[in-house]
Amino acid sequence: MSLRHKDLLGLEPLSSEEIALVLDTAEPCKQIFDRQVKKFPTLRGKVIVNLFYEASTRTRTSFEVAGKWMSADVVNISASASSVTKGESLTDTAKTLEALGADVVVIRHRHAGAAHLIARAVRARVINAGDGWHEHPTQGLLDLFTIREKKGRIQGLTVVIVGDILHSRVARSNIIGLTKLGARVRVAGPPTLMPLGLRELGVEVYHDLDAALEGADVINVLRIQRERQKKGLFPSLREYVRLYGVTKERLRRAKEDVMIMHPGPANLGVEIAQDVVEDERSVVREQVKNGVAVRMALLYLMSGGEPRELQPAD
Amino acid sequence: MKPKAEIMDADQIRRAITRIAHEIVEANKGIQDVRLVGIRTRGVPLARRLAQRVEAIEGTACPVGILDITLYRDDLTTIAHQPIVHKTEIPFAIDDKIIVLVDDVLFTGRTVRAALDALMDLGRPRRVQLAVMVDRGHRELPIRADFVGKNVPTSLEEVVQVELVETDGVDRVRIMQRSDAR
């Protein structure tokens, strides 16, 4: 069993077996947190480039730590300090990085499809670290890993995703991954922040969070971006908090041992109350550690063999 | 792969383990500071059997750990499919201990090289020894075993296959002929 793809552009092209392989590999990788020497020699001589056109702390740092713990050389490029400001195109930048020896390019971009574009242009492996409203596969994988680690399984669990589903690549990757592994997915949020066609993905749509939470095993709370309110997608932040803000009171409708997740960074007191983040059922900090383990697993699984023997992007 | 010859049966494997257990106890003057570490996959059941035998001889238990060397291999970029990574489970501190690495077959020495590196990242043992069921020669690195079940001269067209009840349902060692060999 191995990953058949040159690139990781989303969870959509992955089979449930491939997803399970990544999660299985992340388990031993996570053991590195218990070690004094946090270093494996696995990726010595490999060059990983983090190419970020959007702000990011967790994802970029997590890729950097994962790469360094596997002994790769990690180069960080942020768009504001590169030739991008001089008008260099995405594929030109990627080809330049490849000419400089990049084996893996990790890219985040505000436009959907950016990772696909460069995946076709370069022979290096490409990992999508978030493209517009499309997908954020490594976040999806670390969320799946965290659920499986704590609950022992994913099949048959009821998972609620609450917030701005329309603009969320985290929601998309979560929905795809969870349904592939047999979870029951409910999404909750205002109708204006809900994309069309969700039911075709096998998802139950709720506009009433309390109803969605009934009997839930897991709740994944999405970040609400204040700019959306300015665009008139919901009337006021205060109303959003009243209808969709996750509080301890509200969580009583879920199962007693409901697991609380947030991809970060959280707007405390808006989509999630401070005491919910600090609750003993919250796995927010664990998600960050698991992000490193899952990315180590991916870098390992994508480091061997000859990329040209593998299937190209989609 | 076609089987060519059976070189050890269950009884011979059992006797080899008994002898190696005695040799470990003798070489280290007891097992006070001795810890056994099996290299995945078949080093693990061998290490467990050795621990039982050592305990029967000395009357004290000898802890067993499991080492996965996948992330330390030196051939990852040349093989098409990445091997599955498993957990390393060493439930004791290895600092200042005498570690006996256990594996089924000693061949090129590359697995042992990886195991030594993996071990050193976990601490600083006082001494490291190596126990193997079969030494088949063809070393590519300056590595040797301290305890050997059986020395078997082989050709490079042959594969030595150790099978154990715990992993394969039967105890035997066979020499196989590579089917792709000319």
Side-chain angles (χ1 to χ4, degrees), chain A residues 128-248:
Chain A
N128 181 4
D131 60 333
W133 307 345
H134 175 234
E135 274 219 54
H136 189 353
T138 57
Q139 179 73 43
L141 288 167
L142 82 89
D143 287 343
L144 292 171
F145 180 83
T146 308
I147 295 172
R148 202 181 75 165
E149 182 182 51
K150 297 279 172 199
K151 297 282 180 190
R153 68 195 163 102
I154 288 171
Q155 175 94 39
L157 293 181
T158 300
V159 181
V160 178
I161 304 172
V162 57
D164 179 357
I165 310 294
L166 177 62
H167 302 98
S168 175
R169 55 198 176 207
V170 176
R172 226 182 126 75
S173 289
N174 261 275
I175 289 169
I176 293 167
L178 285 165
T179 48
K180 278 191 186 194
L181 297 190
R184 204 170 143 199
V185 182
R186 298 174 179 166
V187 297
T192 47
L193 295 178
M194 212 53 94
L196 293 171
L198 272 176
R199 288 188 179 85
E200 281 83 89
L201 288 174
V203 174
E204 298 165 42
V205 180
Y206 289 78
H207 301 303
D208 175 1
L209 178 58
D210 291 330
L213 278 173
E214 213 64 62
D217 296 287
V218 178
I219 177 167
N220 198 346
V221 187
L222 302 174
R223 175 181 168 75
I224 192 86
Q225 294 188 319
R226 288 154 201 261
E227 306 89 84
R228 310 284 182 222
Q229 189 262 322
K230 293 191 192 106
K231 286 183 182 160
L233 287 168
F234 53 94
S236 75
L237 215 50
R238 209 169 53 167
E239 192 201 72
Y240 184 86
V241 174
R242 190 168 55 78
L243 290 174
Y244 298 105
V246 177
T247 58
K248 276 199 171 172

Side-chain angles (χ1 to χ4, degrees), chain B residues 91-138:
Chain B
F92 44 80
I94 65 168
D95 290 336
D96 244 7
K97 296 289 180 289
I98 298 168
I99 302 297
V100 181
L101 283 173
V102 184
D103 205 0
D104 55 351
V105 179
L106 179 57
F107 181 25
T108 60
R110 287 178 192 271
T111 301
V112 176
R113 194 282 308 162
L116 286 170
D117 281 354
L119 205 58
M120 297 308 166
D121 279 356
L122 296 173
R124 189 178 185 279
R126 171 144 49 105
R127 193 180 300 155
V128 182
Q129 300 170 339
L130 175 63
V132 297
M133 184 49 64
V134 175
D135 181 347
R136 62 165 294 190
H138 302 288

Side-chain angles (χ1 to χ4, degrees), chain A residues 1-8 14 18 21 46 103-104 119 122-126 298-314, chain B residues 76-77 79-82:
Chain A
M1 185 69 217
S2 60
L3 291 181
R4 290 178 298 108
H5 313 270
K6 170 178 150 310
D7 312 293
L8 178 73
L14 296 194
E18 286 175 306
L21 174 68
K46 298 270 179 186
D103 297 290
V104 180
V122 299
R123 278 203 318 274
R125 309 278 199 136
V126 176
L298 273 172
L299 291 173
Y300 165 72
L301 291 169
M302 293 176 74
S303 70
E306 274 294 306
R308 68 183 125 82
E309 291 166 10
L310 300 155
Q311 295 180 355
D314 57 43
Chain B
L76 291 173
T77 49
I79 47 186
H81 295 290
Q82 298 293 71

Side-chain angles (χ1 to χ4, degrees), chain B residues 146-163:
Chain B
D146 299 270
F147 312 104
V148 180
K150 192 178 177 76
N151 282 294
V152 184
T154 57
S155 83
L156 286 170
E157 278 71 49
E158 293 165 340
V159 174
V160 174
Q161 190 180 67
V162 173
E163 292 171 276

